[in-house]
């Protein structure tokens, strides 16, 4: 989540964007798809990924987020009708 994201209504912990996740979004051309998601989804993805204990789990979660952003219409393995994302 970057500084332009409105988090004023969020009551849960706000997770900063780690450099490796920002780089993965940029490398895959998915930064715009990520930014188009609601603030709660951005925050949930980052918190979920960064709370992984094992590096393999973190990578698996990052890959899932990238895949969902690329496909569009999916959020945490659930149908989401808020937008098609990139490549959707």
């Amino acid at each position: 989540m970057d500084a332009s994201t409105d988090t004023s209504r969020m009551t849960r912990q706000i997770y900063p964007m780690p450099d490796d996740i920002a780089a993965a979004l940029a490398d895959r051309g998915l930064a715009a798809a990520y930014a188009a998601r609601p603030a709660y989804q951005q925050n949930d993805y980052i918190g979920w990924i960064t709370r992984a204990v094992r590096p393999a789990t973190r990578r698996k979660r990052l890959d899932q987020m990238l895949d969902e952003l690329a496909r569009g219409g999916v959020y945490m393995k659930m149908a989401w009708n808020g937008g098609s994302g990139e490549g959707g």
Side-chain angles (χ1 to χ4, degrees):
M1 179 169 326
D2 63 28
S4 66
T5 304
D6 179 13
T7 60
S8 63
R9 294 179 50 201
M10 293 178 66
T11 58
R12 62 185 87 178
Q13 179 179 348
I14 307 295
Y15 297 96
M17 171 66 76
D19 293 339
D20 66 319
I21 296 175
L25 288 166
D27 289 347
R28 293 272 304 265
L30 294 170
Y34 175 83
R37 294 292 179 115
Y40 79 89
Q41 286 188 14
Q42 294 177 30
N43 194 58
D44 286 352
Y45 273 133
I46 299 304
W48 178 60
I49 293 166
T50 59
R51 285 190 310 270
V53 175
R54 296 175 39 224
T57 302
R58 182 184 172 107
R59 184 70 226 184
K60 181 179 176 181
R61 291 176 180 183
L62 174 59
D63 288 343
Q64 179 183 325
M65 179 191 75
L66 296 170
D67 179 62
E68 290 179 359
L69 292 172
R71 289 174 31 214
V74 182
Y75 167 66
M76 297 290 194
K77 296 186 178 182
M78 298 177 291
W80 177 67
N81 63 1
S84 61
E86 299 287 325

